Amino acid sequence: MTAGTARRLLRAALCGVDDVTAAIAAVGPDEAADLVVSELTPRLRLSGEAEFDHELTVRLRMPATAGVVERDLEVGSGSAGWTLGMGAATTEVPAAVVTQDLAEVLHGIFVPSAARAATRSVHWRDKDDFTAFHSPPHVFTVVHRLLAAMDHHRDHELAALAVRYGSDKWGMHNYAPHYQWHFGPMRQLPITILEIGVGGYHDPTGGGASLRMWRDFFPQALVYGIDIVDKSTHDEGRVRTFRADQSDPDSLATVLDEIGDPDIIVDDGSHISKHVIDTFTCLFPRLRPGGKYVIEDLQTSYWPSFGGREDVMCDPATSMGMLKDLVDGLNHQELTSRSPRAGRGTDAHITGIHFHHNLTVIDKGSNLEPGPPSWLSTTRPD
């Protein structure tokens, strides 16, 4: 699925079922059903359930104007707990069939407050077999989890999502609570997130934990990752990766030309000071007003192996040196030598800089608040 298709369906879902119906007709029901699958699969919480010695199938049947699309949820159990997969319908007779209009499903997934089930029905294969229901059967649990995933985007804390997917933003680092506070007001908005550094180093299948964490935390966001290694194995639904080098501004600009200007940028890349500074210089102008620019792992600003130093704390060639200079820029209206600031030209567009341990969050906006009268700087009260 292309980013344009996902964006079109997301925007339609924010408007209403009729708009979603029109968008489905334009992109095709199979594309819309694929987006449904990519959203529901990570929401199904089946870990910790009792094991059973067989597999079962629950079918999601979604009628649309252009035809009916079906996807099967295949659930099994093994030594590691419950296993699941969701894909094209098979010839197997499912243990249960959940039927609901495709447009209504999409609308409910992305706008939880508007979730409803006017067209939903559930058919149980063994409903007339009394012996099959004495347990009750595991299919009850699976169907109930599926319905819960369709009706509500659970209000998980970001720290819990980081633990679930194995992101180092909580546990190894204490970033998650800070992100919860800074990003909370943006959570239900149809934003674009760009993270530099997918993780997993040179392993093409490694990493991706933070991208999945952002996907679940922001239910209406498009999530993009940049890495110097091809990480396309993580592309699914609203998540997409690009191979690019953050030390090459042209490489970064090419990605933004395709995805558009982000609302949140998280630099979790090489952590080399020069790369951090060059990336900020390149990408901050492309960040949308009202957006957030984040730089992680600032401890490397003091490490010589990453181009840092601690003998000169305000060296502008280090990440922290650059950030400390930006703090002065917040008050550029009162600094005659910095209005407007030469170089990066960010003073008039930064409205706040928040520092946490090894982490900073920069707010973008209009910083043109007039300063006090000039005579105050040369006049002292008696």
Side-chain angles (χ1 to χ4, degrees):
M1 176 184 298
T2 66
T5 297
R7 183 180 292 111
R8 182 168 190 170
L9 291 169
L10 281 168
R11 288 176 175 172
L14 296 177
C15 298
V17 173
D18 291 343
D19 298 88
V20 182
T21 300
I24 292 172
V27 305
D30 282 316
E31 291 282 343
D34 288 343
L35 183 59
V36 168
V37 169
S38 72
E39 287 297 315
L40 292 181
T41 301
R43 297 189 194 184
L44 292 161
R45 314 302 182 197
L46 295 173
S47 60
E49 300 294 340
E51 293 186 10
F52 57 104
D53 57 5
H54 63 282
E55 294 183 351
L56 60 87
T57 301
V58 173
R59 182 160 297 159
L60 180 57
R61 185 175 185 272
M62 297 172 285
T65 303
V68 177
V69 288
E70 296 180 332
R71 296 292 185 269
D72 279 358
L73 174 62
E74 303 282 354
V75 184
S77 182
S79 59
W82 285 45
T83 61
L84 65 90
M86 199 167 187
T90 65
T91 58
E92 181 180 353
V93 177
V97 177
V98 177
T99 302
Q100 187 173 356
D101 180 79
L102 178 57
E104 191 177 273
V105 172
L106 272 170
H107 187 48
I109 286 174
F110 291 114
V111 188
S113 62
R116 54 193 177 128
T119 64
R120 178 183 298 166
S121 64
V122 180
H123 174 76
W124 306 93
R125 181 188 62 194
D126 298 325
K127 66 182 179 65
D128 294 325
D129 183 0
F130 175 78
T131 60
F133 284 82
H134 72 277
S135 301
H138 292 290
V139 67
F140 275 11
T141 300
V142 176
V143 169
H144 292 163
R145 296 294 177 89
L146 176 61
L147 298 182
M150 293 166 66
D151 284 347
H152 305 286
H153 189 88
R154 300 181 180 184
D155 189 26
H156 291 296
E157 295 294 313
L158 192 60
L161 293 173
V163 171
R164 176 174 298 118
Y165 291 115
S167 171
D168 66 358
K169 297 187 191 309
W170 181 245
M172 182 175 294
H173 299 292
N174 295 333
Y175 299 158
H178 303 312
Y179 283 138
Q180 182 93 27
W181 187 81
H182 288 289
F183 296 162
M186 308 171 73
R187 187 168 189 178
Q188 298 297 333
L189 300 179
I191 62 175
T192 296
I193 304 170
L194 174 65
E195 179 154 17
I196 301 164
V198 175
Y201 299 99
H202 294 290
D203 180 2
T205 64
S210 296
L211 300 181
R212 297 181 180 92
M213 178 190 73
W214 297 131
R215 177 197 61 197
D216 283 15
F217 187 71
F218 294 100
Q220 298 170 21
L222 298 177
V223 181
Y224 298 103
I226 288 177
D227 202 280
I228 199 169
V229 176
D230 181 2
K231 298 286 184 176
S232 57
T233 55
H234 299 292
D235 292 2
E236 58 177 0
R238 293 182 289 121
V239 176
R240 186 180 176 191
T241 61
F242 294 86
R243 187 173 186 179
D245 185 351
Q246 77 169 125
S247 67
D248 179 5
D250 291 336
S251 181
L252 296 175
T254 298
V255 174
L256 265 66
D257 288 342
E258 180 168 347
I259 70 174
D261 294 344
D263 299 277
I264 295 175
I265 297 174
V266 179
D267 185 351
D268 188 18
S270 71
H271 310 307
I272 296 172
S273 280
K274 185 179 187 308
H275 295 173
V276 171
I277 295 170
D278 290 347
T279 299
F280 177 80
T281 302
C282 174
L283 295 187
F284 186 79
R286 300 290 299 269
L287 183 70
R288 290 182 184 275
K292 310 278 187 182
Y293 192 103
V294 180
I295 302 174
E296 295 185 352
D297 292 290
L298 284 166
Q299 69 275 11
T300 60
S301 180
Y302 307 107
W303 297 349
S305 59
F306 284 79
R309 58 189 301 182
E310 61 175 306
D311 56 333
V312 179
M313 290 293 190
C314 294
D315 185 344
T318 67
S319 304
M320 283 301 300
M322 176 196 74
L323 291 169
K324 291 173 183 177
D325 184 61
L326 295 181
V327 171
D328 286 330
L330 286 171
N331 304 313
H332 71 96
Q333 296 280 29
E334 287 72 48
L335 304 176
T336 57
S337 62
R338 292 177 66 111
S339 186
R341 179 187 174 196
R344 283 182 291 272
T346 56
D347 287 354
H349 305 289
I350 293 178
T351 58
I353 304 177
H354 312 267
F355 287 95
H356 306 280
H357 184 230
N358 296 330
L359 176 76
T360 191
V361 180
I362 303 171
D363 301 328
K364 185 170 183 177
S366 178
N367 181 19
L368 297 175
E369 177 185 354
S374 58
W375 52 266
L376 277 179
S377 63
T378 58
T379 304
R380 294 179 59 184
D382 294 335

